[in-house]
Amino acid sequence: MAEDLSIIPGTKAEQYQSLIPQIKGLLEGETDLVANMANVVAALKEQFGWLWVGFYVVKPSFAKAPKGEDELVLAPFQGPVACTRIKKGRGVCGTSWAQAKTLIVPDVEKFPGHIACSSLSRSEIVIPVMRDNDVIAVLDVDSNEYNRFDETDQTYLEKIVSLLQF
Ligand code: SME
């Protein structure tokens, strides 16, 4: 794989439909999770230009926390620097992890406990990455516009995270 990404204008669905086969090509034959996450967020950022797009991975917490308690830890992302650790049930990411479901937040200030990594963030979508029945990571996307994400994003982003090989 050595080609540039083909970035297209069009409806949101058309943009995802153009991107998905290209992401499949990027992931083909590669099983390293970090490498694959890095290319997925780079491709999404390049096509959509969102404020922030990145993964948080479920990992064992610092020794200070209660034993056996996992946390979300910052993983490949594109955008401004971000908070590194999120506890289960905290913020949009920790809630998506706890509930094992996609969350769409049209106005982040109205989400109780939202974690503001960037003051520019206005809306957000978080998609859990599943292995068997466990959440092993989440994909978090932030926009500097209100109400930027809907069911179309949910459908295609869930498809994209299901392509991750590891
Ligand atoms: N807003 C997220 C935290 C992660 S940053 O947006 C990159 C949340 O509430 O979980």
Side-chain angles (χ1 to χ4, degrees):
M1 133 75 210
E3 288 165 29
D4 289 342
L5 213 59
S6 163
I7 301 302
I8 65 145
T11 65
K12 194 186 275 187
E14 286 167 345
Q15 292 183 64
Y16 280 113
Q17 283 159 16
S18 155
L19 199 57
I20 284 177
Q22 299 186 74
I23 289 178
K24 275 187 187 159
L26 286 166
L27 303 185
E28 209 170 63
E30 179 54 69
T31 56
D32 186 89
L33 184 59
V34 172
N36 285 339
M37 286 178 163
N39 263 338
V40 165
V41 296
L44 287 168
K45 175 77 172 171
E46 210 175 326
Q47 175 66 55
F48 292 102
W50 294 314
L51 173 68
W52 197 92
V53 50
F55 286 97
Y56 282 88
V57 175
V58 175
K59 287 190 174 174
S61 64
F62 272 142
K64 271 191 279 181
K67 209 170 175 233
E69 203 174 275
D70 289 344
E71 291 177 310
L72 289 173
V73 182
L74 187 62
F77 73 96
Q78 299 258 324
V81 293
C83 44
T84 53
R85 289 175 184 268
I86 299 174
K87 291 195 180 305
K88 197 169 193 174
R90 295 282 177 82
V92 188
C93 292
T95 306
S96 170
W97 172 25
Q99 297 180 356
K101 68 171 201 186
T102 295
L103 294 180
I104 296 172
V105 181
D107 178 351
V108 294
E109 279 171 28
K110 294 193 175 135
F111 187 94
H114 167 256
I115 301 163
C117 289
S118 165
S119 61
L120 298 174
S121 179
R122 295 288 177 267
S123 60
E124 182 165 355
I125 184 169
V126 180
I127 297 95
V129 181
M130 309 294 298
R131 177 153 57 188
D132 302 324
N133 288 322
D134 294 325
V135 178
I136 60 115
V138 298
L139 174 66
D140 180 19
V141 187
D142 287 73
S143 171
N144 57 2
E145 293 169 33
Y146 291 107
N147 203 18
R148 173 66 184 77
F149 304 105
D150 56 22
E151 287 69 23
T152 301
D153 297 284
Q154 175 171 355
T155 301
Y156 287 107
L157 290 172
E158 285 177 355
K159 170 77 184 157
I160 287 169
V161 301
S162 79
L163 299 175
L164 279 170
Q165 301 179 40
F166 48 87

